[in-house]
Amino acid sequence: MKNFILSFFLLASSAVCMAQINLREGIVITLSGDTLHGSIDYRTDQMNAEQCTFIQDGQTEPKFYRPKEIVGYRFLDNGRYYVSKTFMDDKNSARTLFLEYIVNGKLKFYQLGSSIDEDIFFIEDENGQLVKFDPVHPGTTPEARRKNLKQVLIMTNDSKSTQKMFWEKEVNKKNVIKAVVNYNNEVCPDGTCEVFEYKKKRTPKGERLFHPFVAAGITRYEIEEKERSLSIVDKDHHSALYLSAGVDYYAVRLMKGLFGEINLTFNQVKQNFNTETYVKDRPTTMKVEYTLRDATLKLGGGYQWTNFRVQPRIQAGYSATCLWDRVKSQEEDTGFEPGKSIYHGFYTGAGVAIPLHKGALLVNGEFNVTNLKVPILDAESNPDYSIKAKRLSLSIGYQFGY
């Protein structure tokens, strides 16, 4: 198990080093006021706030701009606009970052995204005074709301309706946009107010993050019983039907090609054999049909090399398996009863994705190991006794959402 996990992370580390940036068409505004056209690396909100990676049209090498080095930059496919701003943080220290420019007008609205804490909001008046405040949720006490929005209410003193919106409504991005637009329309009706977000019908199609998939194939099922103290190993092999369904999440703004996955797989093994028994005191050969089913939930991640026509991919993660079986003969039929225990294990896999018109063809090989702590006498009395289910699967499937 350690060797499989180590191998996976070595491959994943190599993938990180080889990862391509997530380029989008955009512009950079220099300190001298020039507009440069090219492509910008579209990353997470936190990465976008700290650096702009830009490849100018006609060039191949990227330039890395930090706040204060340019006025700002903008993605042209979705309208997201970042400008360099200096503000005082919670420790009363000056920080300069790229803030997302949401609303332009006499009163401006900016946002600083965060993956750990909540987003931070800013408004700026026509004199360049910048006020920082936090989102306000239902249930917040009047004292806490007043402390958080004190400077906001002072800055919007010319519009009582705007102050009312801030005081009575939940302070989230959507409502702040409405309040700032309301202020600009009321205080400066002849001015211009621009919201830097494309309307839904104008929003271009970008990368889709969630990609459901279905797959089917064959599993080579091996049950291994081992008693280390006696050096006894017993293996039983079967072929099984393999079905799978799940969803992949591609974190393209974190690292292109990186994905997380969750899926549910189903295997079924059937075995027919004869057993010798006595019926009315006479030796009789009785036919027995044994069926073993398992449902396995898998949580993991992987990497896909998206710069190829046929895209290699690797994945690994945790698995949780539930087993149930059935013994059927002319004398009895136990029926299917789900097991009361969840058995834990791991899986690793490798394959290729072949993009098609609206999806991708998936061909994948996977190895899964599950430790079965079966409540039988030998397993309880002998800690050296263990049972493992090993499954080697080959499947073909289809991934939706392209």
Side-chain angles (χ1 to χ4, degrees):
M1 176 175 179
K2 292 182 179 179
N3 291 334
F4 278 105
I5 295 176
L6 179 61
S7 299
F8 172 77
F9 281 109
L10 287 175
L11 288 171
S13 299
S14 300
V16 171
C17 297
M18 298 173 62
Q20 287 191 330
I21 55 180
N22 185 31
L23 295 177
R24 302 282 190 91
E25 183 183 2
I27 58 173
V28 163
I29 304 171
T30 67
L31 295 177
S32 60
D34 295 329
T35 299
L36 307 179
H37 291 263
S39 299
I40 304 173
D41 189 14
Y42 187 52
R43 307 306 293 272
T44 65
D45 292 338
Q46 299 74 44
M47 294 177 177
N48 287 342
E50 296 177 357
Q51 178 177 280
C52 169
T53 302
F54 177 69
I55 301 178
Q56 190 171 352
D57 286 345
Q59 300 182 7
T60 57
E61 293 297 322
K63 291 184 178 180
F64 304 95
Y65 292 111
R66 297 285 185 180
K68 288 188 177 179
E69 296 179 346
I70 56 175
V71 172
Y73 64 96
R74 187 174 187 181
F75 296 97
L76 297 183
D77 65 345
N78 59 16
R80 300 193 72 174
Y81 191 3
Y82 291 86
V83 293
S84 178
K85 289 291 177 180
T86 300
F87 61 94
M88 305 303 292
D89 63 16
D90 294 335
K91 297 180 180 179
N92 205 32
S93 299
R95 294 188 66 190
T96 302
L97 293 171
F98 289 119
L99 304 184
E100 186 177 359
Y101 201 169
I102 306 295
V103 179
N104 179 45
K106 185 175 183 179
L107 189 68
K108 300 175 175 63
F109 171 41
Y110 308 97
Q111 176 179 275
L112 177 61
S114 174
S115 61
I116 301 176
D117 300 318
E118 290 189 298
D119 295 343
I120 301 174
F121 299 147
F122 301 83
I123 57 172
E124 183 182 45
D125 64 15
E126 57 188 329
N127 299 317
Q129 181 183 355
L130 194 66
V131 169
K132 177 171 71 74
F133 59 103
D134 298 320
V136 178
H137 303 292
T140 303
T141 64
E143 292 78 10
R145 180 184 284 260
R146 185 178 295 109
K147 181 179 179 180
N148 181 36
L149 299 177
K150 179 180 178 181
Q151 295 300 318
V152 175
L153 297 175
I154 292 174
M155 187 172 285
T156 57
N157 187 55
D158 292 339
S159 172
K160 299 303 179 183
S161 62
T162 301
Q163 289 183 320
K164 185 177 181 181
M165 294 172 71
F166 274 111
W167 184 252
E168 295 182 352
K169 294 185 177 182
E170 179 180 357
V171 180
N172 54 30
K173 179 180 177 181
K174 181 179 179 180
N175 287 337
V176 173
I177 290 175
K178 290 181 179 179
V180 173
V181 170
N182 178 78
Y183 179 91
N184 289 323
N185 290 336
E186 185 173 310
V187 175
C188 186
D190 297 328
T192 58
C193 178
E194 179 182 4
V195 179
F196 294 116
E197 289 185 338
Y198 290 158
K199 294 180 180 180
K200 201 168 198 179
K201 62 182 180 180
R202 294 176 55 201
T203 302
K205 179 182 178 182
E207 295 106 333
R208 295 185 179 179
L209 302 182
F210 293 94
H211 295 264
F213 65 86
V214 292
I218 297 295
T219 296
R220 181 64 172 172
Y221 212 117
E222 176 184 287
I223 303 294
E224 178 184 277
E225 300 181 51
K226 181 186 294 185
E227 190 167 356
R228 289 189 294 273
S229 60
L230 299 178
S231 300
I232 296 175
V233 178
D234 185 21
K235 296 182 179 180
D236 193 12
H237 297 87
H238 305 280
S239 294
L241 173 68
Y242 176 90
L243 298 173
S244 179
V247 61
D248 290 331
Y249 171 79
Y250 285 83
V252 293
R253 294 180 61 193
L254 182 63
M255 186 177 74
K256 196 171 184 179
L258 182 68
F259 65 90
E261 67 175 0
I262 178 172
N263 71 83
L264 183 66
T265 64
F266 174 83
N267 294 283
Q268 176 171 289
V269 175
K270 277 192 175 184
Q271 183 181 16
N272 296 313
F273 58 90
N274 296 328
T275 184
E276 300 297 327
T277 186
Y278 284 86
V279 177
K280 297 181 180 180
D281 297 328
R282 293 183 180 181
T284 303
T285 300
M286 183 170 60
K287 293 182 179 180
V288 178
E289 180 184 275
Y290 176 74
T291 306
L292 174 66
R293 293 176 178 175
D294 79 67
T296 300
L297 179 67
K298 300 174 185 174
L299 300 171
Y303 186 82
Q304 182 171 321
W305 283 264
T306 57
N307 53 321
F308 298 105
R309 178 66 184 92
V310 177
Q311 302 173 0
R313 63 200 317 255
I314 56 174
Q315 67 260 45
Y318 161 80
S319 64
T321 300
C322 182
L323 299 172
W324 63 101
D325 59 7
R326 177 183 185 181
V327 179
K328 184 179 180 181
S329 67
Q330 62 190 52
E331 289 188 340
E332 66 172 345
D333 186 348
T334 61
F336 287 109
E337 293 186 4
K340 297 180 181 179
S341 299
I342 299 297
Y343 304 109
H344 306 285
F346 75 96
Y347 73 97
T348 60
V352 295
I354 305 173
L356 303 175
H357 179 56
K358 292 186 178 181
L361 183 68
L362 298 179
V363 179
N364 200 57
E366 188 176 286
F367 178 68
N368 181 242
V369 174
T370 303
N371 291 314
L372 304 177
K373 297 180 179 179
V374 182
I376 61 176
L377 180 60
D378 286 341
E380 292 177 345
S381 62
N382 187 352
D384 287 339
Y385 185 86
S386 64
I387 301 180
K388 286 185 178 180
K390 298 181 180 180
R391 285 157 286 182
L392 184 61
S393 305
L394 180 63
S395 65
I396 185 169
Y398 186 81
Q399 188 182 59
F400 302 87
Y402 280 72

